[in-house]
Amino acid sequence: MEKINVHIFRQKYEIEIQLDNLDSDFHFFFLSTFGVPSSGKYIVDISSFINDFHLINLYFGARKSIYKVIFADDLKQYIFDIPNHTKLINIQHADKDELLEKLKLNNFQRDLKHFQLANVLKILNLRCAADFSVPGAGKTTDALAYYTFHRKEDVSKLLIISPLNAFPAWEEDTKKCLGEDKKVLRLRGEIEELQEILSTDNEFFIINYESLFSDRKLELLRDFFSFYPESTLILDESHRSKGEKISERLKKISQFPKRKLILTGTPMPQSPKDLESQFSFLYPLHSIIEEERFIEEFQPFYIRTNDKDLGLKPLIEESTYVKPYSGQKEFYDQYIDRPLSKGIDIRDIVKTNSLKKAYMRLLKFISNPILEIEFIKEINSDLADRIELEQDGAKIDAVISRARELALAGEKVLIWSSFIANVRTITRRLAPEFGAEYIIGEVKTEDGEQDEDWNWLELETREAIIKRFKENDSTRILVANPAAAAESMSLHNVCSHALYLDRTYNAGQFLQSQKRIHRLTEGEDMQKKIEIFCLNVRGSIDFHIDRRLAEKCHEMYKFLNESEISMSWVNLSQDKYYENLGSDSDFLDYQSSRYNFDFYEEE
């Protein structure tokens, strides 16, 4: 039987597959892999074609007797040029003298520390790599040195995708590394404004993740990389790429830049699945399916500087157990703890059909019962009246008391709460005496990203608040929620104490929030301390959150070959969790199952 000729060729950002003869088997394959053909033609977006290239290989490879596949020469070269991680494992480190000479010739002004030099040498000969160094270790400097080494006069460009709050750091570090005349232009505004910015002779550009949800802006970036094929693309805080929608958007541009770097200090805050989108961004041709394999495959391609490498003093963490006021305790004991101990579903207890809302309602009540006062009134109006008389609740009062103590001793204090109402309440109470200010932000899309048209004025306001906290003696306390401030805020030179009114299951935000104060300090390293406030009631969700955060972080540290960091935390958190339940050892497993809040954990 004569083979069916299959012609595959590229038309800018699309791939067309043509068959000499109609074939129902291939039609079904295309339908199940790429969707319905367009106008009867087998046309697919080039990013989808590349991402599913392993499936195409498998399909045609298993049917060599049926099909003769003919790739257009330009497409064949295009695919060949895309980095393949299986071919890069044995690449040797670069030469130190060559790196330093090239940086000198390109007027790189910042001296690389010994650990930065080792990092850059390891990835210099890789077109795609990851920097998983802890916050404050100089990942931006590593990245700029990498770019500078590969830079080609007049044809190289650098584009950074990052959270908005990281823009100032990139602008500042680029000047410090490459000179005051180097500007990082912000890609903001309408499409015409972005076109004008990208058409300038400038070399450095930065855009936020949210902008990628605009089809026209994404198309503009693809045109940019096609026009400047020697460009480098950097994904900052790359753990933000794990949402399904943002991951799909990044795939549409990931195969175009010549070189790519991803930067994050928390590469897998939830599970090994967090690595998938980041690996796919670097190596879109991969055919890895099992989540656990990403841990193994990442090993040759990442660099990391940890706290020990930096010589940081270990972070001190203390737990403060807060006794609830009588109204809150009575409501908890009667309407939450008692039903839980009987095995009643948490959704029935807090009167909602949503697991997410049940979790949030319970966490709010534990943090500050006033946040759920309307719910409490529905259950018991007399208790609601008593709780209202207790005002902001025992936990907020305890946090404020501790913050006052530290501020009066001359310390600057950072306070965290996941709830905006709490942030505002704490700030209002501490502002008259200590000039407290706050930074807040809300998550607005299911992928954990803010809307594309997020107010740029808010970014400027945030920068001004941080500046006052750093420089003004009258501003002694800063209150924030992790959604807004867990990343890209450096307070370590002025602040040594952080207080947590509450936490969620989001391990990435917790680890990032710690690093706002625990990072490399100019001059003598100061001892840093965080204090976790837990409501001391049986089965308190505060203790379960601590246990799960410890377990998640332990998995990440195992991936980073640093499991000794978190093992003691895992053991201690488990001890605290069971101690809080107050059960005899014979009943621990049975009792803990009644207070298991794994029903919903933030991604």
Side-chain angles (χ1 to χ4, degrees):
M1 184 179 70
E2 188 175 349
K3 291 185 179 181
I4 299 173
N5 289 328
V6 181
H7 300 272
I8 307 179
F9 54 93
R10 177 186 178 190
Q11 297 176 336
K12 196 175 182 181
Y13 303 134
E14 292 182 335
I15 300 295
E16 183 171 354
I17 305 173
Q18 292 183 352
L19 281 70
D20 286 352
N21 302 306
L22 294 176
D23 180 69
S24 59
D25 190 24
F26 175 78
H27 182 82
F28 179 77
F29 164 74
F30 188 92
L31 200 66
S32 60
T33 307
F34 301 112
V36 179
S38 175
S39 302
K41 294 183 177 181
Y42 298 117
I43 295 176
V44 62
D45 182 89
I46 193 168
S47 62
S48 299
F49 180 83
I50 295 301
N51 293 325
D52 290 322
F53 188 69
H54 63 289
L55 298 178
I56 296 168
N57 268 340
L58 283 173
Y59 178 82
F60 287 124
R63 295 164 177 81
K64 290 181 179 179
S65 62
I66 302 173
Y67 303 104
K68 179 182 179 182
V69 182
I70 305 163
F71 281 88
D73 289 342
D74 63 331
L75 177 58
K76 194 183 298 182
Q77 186 63 47
Y78 176 81
I79 294 172
F80 180 81
D81 287 341
I82 295 175
N84 186 328
H85 73 286
T86 62
K87 299 177 181 178
L88 302 175
I89 293 175
N90 295 319
I91 286 185
Q92 300 298 310
H93 292 192
D95 179 72
K96 174 182 173 181
D97 293 336
E98 182 186 5
L99 168 62
L100 295 177
E101 181 65 24
K102 192 78 175 285
L103 293 181
K104 183 178 179 180
L105 287 173
N106 281 276
N107 197 32
F108 195 86
Q109 299 178 10
R110 179 175 275 177
D111 291 332
L112 297 180
K113 297 180 172 64
H114 66 91
F115 51 82
Q116 291 175 320
L117 184 59
N119 283 344
V120 177
L121 287 173
K122 181 178 177 181
I123 64 172
L124 211 52
N125 287 335
L126 295 171
R127 282 178 54 192
C128 303
D131 191 338
F132 294 153
S133 298
V134 297
K139 291 189 290 293
T140 54
T141 300
D142 291 349
L144 289 169
Y146 172 91
Y147 169 76
T148 301
F149 180 86
H150 291 293
R151 178 180 179 273
K152 294 183 179 179
E153 191 74 30
D154 298 328
V155 296
S156 292
K157 301 280 186 178
L158 175 62
L159 176 70
I160 305 124
I161 300 174
S162 87
L164 283 172
N165 50 33
F167 282 21
W170 279 101
E171 292 160 349
E172 180 181 343
D173 281 352
T174 300
K175 288 181 179 295
K176 287 182 177 179
C177 288
L178 295 165
E180 288 295 322
D181 60 323
K182 302 298 182 183
K183 292 183 178 180
V184 179
L185 297 185
R186 298 181 176 188
L187 297 176
R188 54 180 291 189
E190 299 300 322
I191 191 71
E192 293 76 17
E193 296 174 273
L194 267 64
Q195 287 174 327
E196 184 176 345
I197 295 170
L198 288 172
S199 66
T200 65
D201 292 334
N202 202 68
E203 190 173 349
F204 306 95
F205 304 93
I206 192 166
I207 192 169
N208 59 322
Y209 282 91
E210 300 80 22
S211 292
L212 302 184
F213 289 104
S214 163
D215 289 337
R216 294 186 67 194
K217 290 180 180 179
L218 204 64
E219 185 79 9
L220 184 63
L221 293 183
R222 295 210 287 194
D223 289 342
F224 172 79
F225 288 122
S226 296
F227 193 77
Y228 295 104
E230 289 293 328
S231 294
T232 297
L233 175 59
I234 295 176
L235 209 59
D236 193 15
E237 303 295 0
S238 59
H239 56 275
R240 284 180 169 236
S241 68
K242 69 176 184 174
E244 182 179 350
K245 288 188 176 181
I246 187 62
S247 177
E248 288 301 316
R249 306 303 286 181
L250 287 166
K251 286 178 180 178
K252 291 185 179 297
I253 57 173
S254 64
Q255 65 266 37
F256 296 103
K258 179 70 173 289
R259 293 180 176 82
K260 292 174 290 186
L261 295 177
I262 60 173
L263 317 178
T264 177
T266 53
M268 49 170 284
Q270 297 292 109
S271 72
K273 187 172 177 59
D274 297 344
L275 298 174
E276 180 179 357
S277 60
Q278 299 174 80
F279 197 91
S280 297
F281 171 80
L282 293 177
Y283 297 104
L285 283 173
H286 80 81
S287 57
I288 302 172
I289 298 175
E290 303 87 356
E291 291 179 12
E292 296 295 334
R293 274 197 58 204
F294 287 106
I295 293 177
E296 176 185 348
E297 297 294 337
F298 244 124
Q299 296 298 326
F301 310 116
Y302 84 81
I303 53 177
R304 176 168 170 86
T305 301
N306 59 30
D307 291 344
K308 187 176 180 180
D309 297 327
L310 295 176
L312 289 182
K313 294 178 180 178
L315 179 69
I316 294 176
E317 178 180 324
E318 289 186 0
S319 296
T320 298
Y321 297 170
V322 179
K323 181 180 178 181
Y325 294 147
S326 62
Q328 183 184 20
K329 185 176 190 311
E330 185 172 337
F331 185 91
Y332 181 85
D333 289 345
Q334 185 172 345
Y335 298 107
I336 298 176
D337 180 56
R338 188 175 299 168
L340 276 176
S341 67
K342 294 178 180 179
I344 297 176
D345 191 296
I346 186 65
R347 290 170 291 189
D348 295 328
I349 294 172
V350 300
K351 300 187 181 304
T352 177
N353 294 325
S354 165
L355 291 174
K356 179 176 181 178
K357 288 180 180 178
Y359 154 80
M360 293 301 291
R361 176 161 284 177
L362 181 58
L363 188 53
K364 283 182 178 179
F365 176 84
I366 292 292
S367 174
N368 174 8
I370 291 296
L371 299 182
E372 289 296 333
I373 196 64
E374 295 304 318
F375 160 70
I376 297 170
K377 286 178 179 178
E378 293 177 13
I379 306 298
N380 188 319
S381 59
D382 291 336
L383 267 179
D385 291 341
R386 284 175 55 191
I387 289 173
E388 283 187 308
L389 291 175
E390 293 169 358
Q391 298 182 348
D392 300 321
K395 281 186 78 177
I396 284 184
D397 285 352
V399 167
I400 286 177
S401 175
R402 178 58 174 153
R404 289 190 77 258
E405 178 185 357
L406 290 167
L408 288 172
E411 299 287 346
K412 292 209 170 193
V413 185
L414 176 61
I415 302 175
W416 295 101
S417 174
S418 301
F419 303 109
I420 289 174
N422 285 344
V423 171
R424 288 180 170 141
T425 294
I426 294 169
T427 305
R428 172 178 51 79
R429 290 180 58 179
L430 291 171
E433 190 174 5
F434 302 107
E437 297 201 56
Y438 68 80
I439 297 173
I440 58 175
E442 296 182 87
V443 175
K444 299 178 182 176
T445 76
E446 63 185 57
D447 284 323
E449 298 293 341
Q450 291 163 318
D451 289 339
E452 180 193 345
D453 59 354
W454 186 61
N455 192 345
W456 285 82
L457 181 60
E458 188 170 336
L459 175 62
E460 296 164 5
T461 303
R462 165 199 164 98
E463 293 172 16
I465 291 171
I466 293 171
K467 190 173 189 293
R468 287 195 292 271
F469 181 69
K470 287 181 174 181
E471 299 179 1
N472 295 357
D473 287 339
S474 58
T475 305
R476 306 215 63 78
I477 293 174
L478 180 62
V479 192
N481 72 321
E487 299 168 345
S488 305
M489 180 173 71
S490 301
L491 306 175
H492 53 294
N493 286 319
V494 299
C495 181
S496 298
H497 294 269
L499 312 180
Y500 289 80
L501 172 66
D502 50 60
R503 296 176 295 174
T504 70
Y505 290 105
N506 192 316
Q509 286 185 354
F510 177 58
L511 290 175
Q512 291 279 353
S513 68
Q514 290 181 6
K515 286 300 177 180
R516 299 315 99 211
I517 66 168
H518 187 231
R519 53 205 291 154
L520 194 60
T521 306
E522 296 175 8
E524 184 180 353
D525 186 27
M526 297 183 287
Q527 180 64 65
K528 307 296 183 178
K529 181 178 180 181
I530 65 172
E531 299 177 45
I532 313 295
F533 288 74
C534 303
L535 194 69
N536 197 15
V537 292
R538 186 175 68 168
S540 172
I541 196 172
D542 286 337
F543 293 91
H544 189 266
I545 286 173
D546 189 62
R547 180 184 176 187
R548 288 296 295 128
L549 289 176
E551 291 168 350
K552 290 179 182 180
C553 293
H554 186 56
E555 288 303 309
M556 185 186 77
Y557 284 125
K558 283 198 295 185
F559 159 58
L560 297 168
N561 302 308
E562 299 170 8
S563 58
E564 71 281 356
I565 293 175
S566 52
M567 195 65 246
S568 60
W569 179 18
V570 170
N571 294 332
L572 183 60
S573 67
Q574 288 180 349
D575 291 343
K576 289 179 181 178
Y577 174 69
Y578 287 122
E579 181 183 348
N580 170 256
L581 290 177
S583 302
D584 294 333
S585 59
D586 292 341
F587 298 98
L588 280 181
D589 291 336
Y590 169 75
Q591 189 77 350
S592 65
S593 68
R594 303 291 184 98
Y595 296 87
N596 187 345
F597 301 110
D598 284 334
F599 53 82
Y600 171 72
E601 296 189 14
E602 288 184 318
E603 291 300 321

